[in-house]
Amino acid sequence: MTQMKLLKILGLLLLLIVMGVAGYIFYLKSTLTPSYSGTREISGLSADVDIYFTDHGIPHIYGATEEDTYKALGYIHAMERLW
C-alpha cells in the first residue's frame, strides 16, 4: 500500500469517528431536554392533575387531592433531573 492510500483511509476513518461522536452527543442532548407541553398518563393518580409552566419554567400544580398533587410534584422533580 502506498503512503497516500494509507493517509486517505486514516482520514476517512477519523472523519467517521468524529461524525459518530457528534451524532451521539446530539442524541444525548435531545434526551436531556424535558418537554413542558402535552399530556401524560401517570399511574396511581385518583383524579386529573393540571400542571402549568410559566415562561421561566416554574411549575404550577393543581390537583383534586393533596396526594395527587404531591405525586405530580415528584414527577416534575424527577423530570428535571439530568440522569
Side-chain angles (χ1 to χ4, degrees):
M1 233 188 227
T2 65
Q3 188 176 8
M4 195 60 156
K5 265 189 171 177
L6 185 61
L7 285 175
K8 285 182 181 180
I9 291 172
L10 287 177
L12 182 61
L13 184 62
L14 181 64
L15 179 66
L16 288 174
I17 290 172
V18 168
M19 286 175 54
V21 169
Y24 184 68
I25 290 173
F26 179 75
Y27 168 74
L28 285 180
K29 281 190 161 199
S30 70
T31 61
L32 291 178
T33 306
S35 175
Y36 294 110
S37 63
T39 59
R40 291 183 183 74
E41 286 285 325
I42 301 173
S43 63
L45 296 179
S46 62
D48 287 344
V49 176
D50 294 322
I51 303 172
Y52 301 101
F53 290 92
T54 64
D55 293 336
H56 299 290
I58 300 170
H60 295 270
I61 304 170
Y62 302 99
T65 66
E66 196 172 307
E67 183 179 344
D68 288 345
T69 306
Y70 283 126
K71 284 183 181 180
L73 175 64
Y75 181 84
I76 295 299
H77 182 79
M79 184 176 84
E80 292 291 329
R81 291 184 183 160
L82 294 178
W83 57 85

